Each structure stands twice: as C-alpha cells, then as structure tokens.
Amino acid sequence: MGRVIRSSRVVLPDGSVEPAGVEVSDGRIVAVVPGAREADVDLGDLVLMPGLVDTHVHVNEPGRTEWEGFATATRAALAGGVTTIVDMPLNSLPPTTSAAALAEKRAAAAGQCHVDVGFWGGAIPGNTGDLADLHAAGVFGFKAFLADSGVPEFPPVTPAELRAAMAAVDALFVVHAEDPAGLRTAPTSRRYADFEQSRPGAAECAAVAAALDAAEATGSRVHVLHVSDADAAAVVAAGRARGVRVSAETCPHYLTLDAADVPDGATEFKCCPPIRGAANQDRLWAALAAGDLDIVVSDHSPSTPALKGFEAGDFAAAWGGIASLQLGLPLVWTAAAARGHDIADVVRWMATAPADLVGLRHKGRIEPGADADLLAFDPSATFTVTPDGLHHRHPTTPYAGRRLSGVVRRVWLRGVKVTPGDPPRGQLLTAALLEGAR
C-alpha cells in the first residue's frame, strides 16, 4: 500500500517550493498532491527534496580498499543525503577499463552499498578496442585524464588519443582537464602557494579547449570535471555557444575554500586541480549562477593518512584528494544561501542536473514515476564538523571545526526510510542510455 509524505516545503521540478504531499508506492513516486494536509508522515516545515546524485566519487574497491570501500563510502553518502553515486574507474585495482574489470568491480560492490551505485569506465592508451564492450556492459561513460592521474595503471591520453576514443564509441566522455605542458613540478614545500603555482589555471584552460576540440571534431558529448579556474568555465561557455555538446562541474571545495587560508603543512587541503583564491571563487559562483557550470559534485577522493603525509606536511609528496562526500550538501547550502541562492538552486545543481548528466531521469526529482529517493532537510539547523562524525573510512577533512548550516534529518531510498546503521539496501545501476542523455 502507498503512503503520503507531506511537507510545507517540497522542492518541485519547476524550482518552486510548495506545500505538498508526495504519495509513494512500490518504491516510486505515484503522485504529488499540492497543498495536501493529510499524510502518513508529516515533516512540518522540514524541506522535502530529492536525494542527491553524486557522479564523481572514488570508491577505490577492489584493490585499494584500505583507501576507501563501498561500505564506508556509501554509508557516508547516505549520511549526507546522497542516494545515488557513480564510481570513478580509478583508483581501484584493476581499473574499470574493460568489461571484465567492470564485472570485478560490481562483484566487489554487491551487497555492500547503502545507496544506489553506478560506474564509469576508463579510457586509457591502448583500450579503445574495449570501449564498446565496456559501454554495452553498462558503464555511464568514460573518464580520461589529459595529465598524470597519480596511479600508473591509469595513464593519461593525448588529445589525439581522446579524439580516437570518442570516435570509437557513442558515449559520454568525462575529462580531467589539465595540460601537462603547462604544469610544473611542485617543489618540496609546506607552503600551499608553492603547490598551487605549480598547477596554474592556464593549464586547465588549455586542456579544456583541447577536450572541446576533440568533442567538436567527433560530434561527441564531453563533460569537464572539477573546474577550479573560472577562466576554464568561460572556455566551456564559449564552446557551448559554438555548438559543442559540453557540460561542466565544480566541487564544494572550490566553492567554499580559499587558497589564502590553507595553513602551512595542511595537506588535507591538497587536490588537483588546486583550490584557488577568493576572487576566482566569486567568479565560479557567478558561472554556476549563469549556467556555464552545470553541476556540483564531490570528487570524493580519499586515501590513507600515510599517503597524505600529515607529519611532513609536504604538499609536493602528499596524495591529492579531498574527502567530502558526507558534507557536500551543508557546505554548498551554507555558501549558496549567503550568496542569495535558494534551496531549489542547490537541488538543481546537486540532484536533478547530475541525474540528467548520466541519463537517470528517474532520479533527482520529485515527480510521478521517479524513484522515491527523498530526504528531509533542515536548512536552518547548524552543526560543527568533527572528524568523529564522518562515516568515510579515514575521517580526514579540511572542514574540521567549520560551522555549517543544514542538517539531513531523514532519508528514504525507494520509499524506505534508511539510516547509515541499517543493512545495505542500495542497488547496482546500469546505464539507462535514455535518448535525452545521448
């Protein structure tokens, strides 16, 4: 039998926030009743919104499960209101660069996932012939690096190799865009500025331009990952204006952290591309508001504490990656509200648009026919980030001690109320390949 979840503030697909009752049956939303007063669950003034969709998560299992695994990553996702993730093809062993490797990844994930999980494939030198079979096996598209990935089993492609891969399969390509010719070897240093200067924004812009050229030449669809430099967002906008099928993302750390505030030796702040300054951050927010950037996702990329090198504090040697899967919603909401955005904007950036990116039209929205992946959110409640409250494997975070607004009060996965302490109920997803996503 169905039931109705009611709130005075339901975020609807048109961007309005209205009193409504959401009728749920057999895991799906069957009706949205405006102004409904009768309900099985009455949330009062808590915001009822769709579960978030995070399309940029490094789980690392199998092979590097000591960095992060499906059980811990998806538990953190659930705690943060993320009900669907798409796992990157590295840094697991083997990387997801063949159909056989995808089968190993799915076997490792089976029975462990607290939220729904899909998978990206990888495009590396020499595997162009494997891409069609990997796509048919259900990956949502292919990730490629134009610069060193940091792990030897996932080498970068040249722009020509990227173009060849795009020509080989009709799929979405998601690209880590930094031009290796524009990068410099970072010196041994505890100063964040020394690391930041080794990866200038010009290298990002050059690689974005190369990725757009490859997509334009082949008619492919390309998505630019983790845009950190606002000039790169302008390159994306110019490509879109000339007809390139391009979208782009940024991440909570680029929208909320300032390079000038990174303490000496605080390698928990290291990521690639790097966090930049406050003026650039303002321009990223403007690009997001203008639609030049489409989505906000975590790029959750944890490692062991040893690889972060906390004792030495050497930014050159430390692993580059920020673990923030659980904190994305309050981070973005706190900053967005301060800049005059509303909760519907956050839902669009973090739920609806990421779902649309990968063709999951039944995720990320509150409408009849969609999965009943829902969360009750208290936007005015505040909390202080403490590592012992985090669920990912190694509770390291650059946000420790930060006061944030927005608390996830309840989560439903396909209509069933779930908590991080419950047995896993997540499903493994296969790419929908819906017409609107191609």
Side-chain angles (χ1 to χ4, degrees):
M1 293 183 62
R3 58 180 180 152
V4 174
I5 303 170
R6 180 198 176 278
S7 169
S8 66
R9 294 188 286 178
V10 179
V11 183
L12 300 173
D14 64 1
S16 63
V17 181
E18 307 287 347
V22 179
E23 185 178 351
V24 174
S25 182
D26 294 326
R28 294 290 182 105
I29 297 170
V30 296
V32 179
V33 182
R37 297 185 178 275
E38 299 296 325
D40 301 284
V41 178
D42 193 333
L43 299 175
D45 290 334
L46 293 178
V47 173
L48 183 62
M49 54 194 282
L52 305 188
V53 177
D54 192 332
T55 54
H56 196 153
V57 178
H58 294 266
V59 175
N60 307 331
E61 186 176 3
R64 290 191 176 99
T65 311
E66 70 274 16
W67 295 18
E68 182 71 283
F70 284 103
T72 49
T74 59
R75 191 178 293 120
L78 177 58
V82 178
T83 53
T84 302
I85 66 170
V86 186
D87 172 61
M88 284 293 170
L90 74 163
N91 302 299
S92 56
L93 293 170
T96 314
T97 54
S98 68
L102 175 63
E104 288 192 51
K105 177 72 72 82
R106 291 176 64 89
Q112 293 202 75
C113 299
H114 292 267
V115 302
D116 288 355
V117 177
F119 303 94
W120 294 108
I124 61 173
N127 85 325
T128 299
D130 295 312
L131 299 183
D133 286 346
L134 185 50
H135 197 227
V139 296
F140 284 85
F142 298 97
K143 181 174 188 177
F145 277 78
L146 292 177
D148 182 17
S149 73
V151 291
E153 67 278 358
F154 205 99
V157 296
T158 65
E161 288 169 330
L162 177 62
R163 185 177 301 196
M166 288 177 166
V169 60
D170 179 17
L172 171 62
F173 283 79
V174 300
V175 179
H176 179 122
E178 288 182 287
D179 179 4
L183 303 179
R184 300 188 290 273
T185 300
T188 298
S189 176
R190 291 174 55 84
R191 293 181 66 249
Y192 181 76
D194 292 334
F195 165 68
E196 182 192 1
Q197 290 165 13
S198 74
R199 304 185 85 98
E204 195 172 350
C205 293
V208 171
L212 267 60
D213 287 346
E216 187 172 32
T218 58
S220 295
R221 185 166 164 247
V222 66
H223 178 76
V224 181
L225 298 169
H226 45 47
V227 171
S228 76
D229 188 272
D231 286 340
V235 177
V236 169
R240 186 180 286 135
R242 72 174 190 261
V244 181
R245 301 167 68 199
V246 60
S247 54
E249 71 187 39
T250 192
C251 305
H253 37 280
Y254 302 127
L255 296 171
T256 63
L257 297 175
D258 181 350
D261 295 334
V262 178
D264 287 352
T267 55
E268 61 269 29
F269 287 82
K270 181 181 176 180
C271 59
C272 299
I275 296 157
R276 306 192 191 274
N280 176 78
Q281 184 180 103
D282 289 342
R283 293 176 59 215
L284 285 178
W285 276 102
L288 192 59
D292 297 338
L293 297 173
D294 301 272
I295 67 175
V296 181
V297 287
S298 69
D299 189 11
H300 178 74
S301 186
S303 68
T304 61
L307 284 172
K308 291 301 275 186
F310 295 124
E311 184 174 343
D314 176 11
F315 281 100
W319 177 260
I322 288 178
S324 63
L325 181 56
Q326 183 174 335
L327 298 173
L329 177 55
L331 284 166
V332 174
W333 167 243
T334 301
R339 292 173 180 266
H341 295 288
D342 60 26
I343 195 65
D345 293 326
V346 175
V347 167
R348 182 174 71 255
W349 298 328
M350 302 188 76
T352 312
D356 290 349
L357 173 72
V358 293
L360 292 173
R361 306 295 186 186
H362 60 296
K363 300 283 190 183
R365 69 208 74 219
I366 296 178
E367 66 181 18
D371 282 357
D373 299 343
L374 304 166
L375 65 98
F377 184 62
D378 188 342
S380 60
T382 61
F383 70 102
T384 299
V385 177
T386 57
D388 61 6
L390 300 176
H391 289 274
H392 56 264
R393 184 173 297 278
H394 302 290
T396 298
T397 175
Y399 304 108
R402 180 171 286 217
R403 191 76 176 167
L404 299 177
S405 297
V407 173
V408 175
R409 297 298 190 191
R410 302 188 208 179
V411 180
W412 293 265
L413 184 64
R414 284 182 301 281
V416 176
K417 185 173 177 283
V418 288
T419 73
D422 293 340
R425 300 183 61 93
Q427 297 180 357
L428 303 186
L429 305 175
T430 298
L433 297 181
L434 299 181
E435 184 62 31
R438 293 179 64 83

